[in-house]
Amino acid sequence: MSSTAQSLAGGRIQALLDENSFVEIGAAVTARATDFNMNNTDTPSDGVITGYGVINGGLVYVYSQDASVLGGSMGEMHAKKIIRIYDMAMKMGAPVIGLVDCAGLRLQEATDALNAFGDLYLKQVMASGVIPQITAIFGSCGGGMAVASALSDFTFMESGKAKLFVNAPNALKDNDASKCDTASAAFQSEEAGIVDVTGGETELIARIRELVSLIPANNEDDLSYMDCDDDLNRVCADLKDAAADPAVALPMISDSGIFFETKSTYGKDMVTGFIKLNGNTVGAVANRAALYDENGSLVQEFGPELSARGCEKAAKFVKFCDAFNIPILTLTNVTGFKAAKCSEKRLAKAVAGLAYAFADASVPKVNVVTGKAYGSACVVMNSKGLGADYVYAWPDAQIGMMDAGMAAKIMYPDAGADLLKEKAEEYAGLQNHVESAARRGYVDTVIEAQDTRKYVIGAFEMLFTKREDRPAKKHGTV
């Protein structure tokens, strides 16, 4: 292997894993194709370095594509090496991390290369829900390799040079990269929603290590627990003021401020990510009303509504948590659905997907209503009716069909302003007040905002041994 290749493909592995822990597998493998003078072409390791090592002491399997060998293109033996890593990872119950720099299909191998992609996809599907799959894109990830990336659980992408595409920007009608670079990290994270984290290469490596330390190694053995040095009864005095932006509020609840946000630039009205509660990893899903930067300045405001993007983002996250037995916490503050033509095209399907994900999840599920919870939108946000195990609400939460003023106008269309005000106040007290929901059992406990941490920790401790029987079936269809 050339020193350049070692510094890129091999160097990325060395940077990712704990020092001196990498063990290479299949170093002597080369391409066996002979067409187009391939028998006289040097293909060290067939363009991909594969092996295993540890991250913070935990076993992981890794492959890193070498763009100096035929562009890191996918061929028969190239795929066999990756598949071998998957086989070992599933036997040992350890994550697979792919460091991608791939020109796509290896044209010199034709149908052998096509079949190689099929073999890889099959293996990824078999591994889905069994072991975590993480893809990090550092160069090109085009065509069939883009599908492999989308089949993984989490995708990281270098923000400067990396490209992710099925069709290159210049192949799109009336488009080129100067108009809209659909292969860029910005587009794939903000518009396509495939990429979870973007940044420089060093930053991505650090974030992958952080994620691996937070999530289980497989769907049976959770080695992600860490000792909790934080006070389990800690008062979160400023939590109520931070509730509008869950990316600010969730670290307040979490042990030592730990929070790993996923897909932060996609569907920004919904926040998803991992926190720690009493040393255990918990998946968090929350509605966002405002986005603040690291200096506390308001960047963007959102209506308390569910969007198609937000629902799709949350549904995928909930499915991952359920597959790997990660408990789910929701912070609910929603009044309805986003009303826009572009969103309406797929809103019903996206909302159904979120409802399905929450209802289908059998892990412990706790919901905290922090603001308003109106109509069908609040139902699909991990409500009691959808299967939440425990529902908390803050004292000033409002839970009901709709805003009291709007309800009064519908029920009394001919009433004057004074009567409408009177009826709206009556409706708010009878139908929207948190106590009315609690009297009917839709809220289990009304808590002060500052006490949220200790209550949700207590709920998850109580739910630790949860078991739930489901109807016998092959799988759902939503």
Side-chain angles (χ1 to χ4, degrees), residues 144 247 335:
T335 61

Short mmCIF file of all heavy atoms in Angstrom, two decimals, residues 144 247 335:
data_model
loop_
_atom_site.label_atom_id
_atom_site.label_comp_id
_atom_site.label_asym_id
_atom_site.label_seq_id
_atom_site.Cartn_x
_atom_site.Cartn_y
_atom_site.Cartn_z
N GLY A 144 -24.53 3.30 -6.27
CA GLY A 144 -24.90 2.21 -5.37
C GLY A 144 -24.38 2.38 -3.97
O GLY A 144 -24.99 1.91 -3.00
N ALA A 247 -32.96 21.42 22.36
CA ALA A 247 -31.52 21.23 22.28
C ALA A 247 -30.81 21.93 23.44
O ALA A 247 -29.67 21.60 23.77
CB ALA A 247 -30.97 21.74 20.95
N THR A 335 -49.50 22.06 18.70
CA THR A 335 -50.90 22.47 18.59
C THR A 335 -51.59 21.95 17.33
O THR A 335 -52.79 22.08 17.19
CB THR A 335 -51.02 24.00 18.60
OG1 THR A 335 -50.30 24.54 17.48
CG2 THR A 335 -50.46 24.57 19.89
#
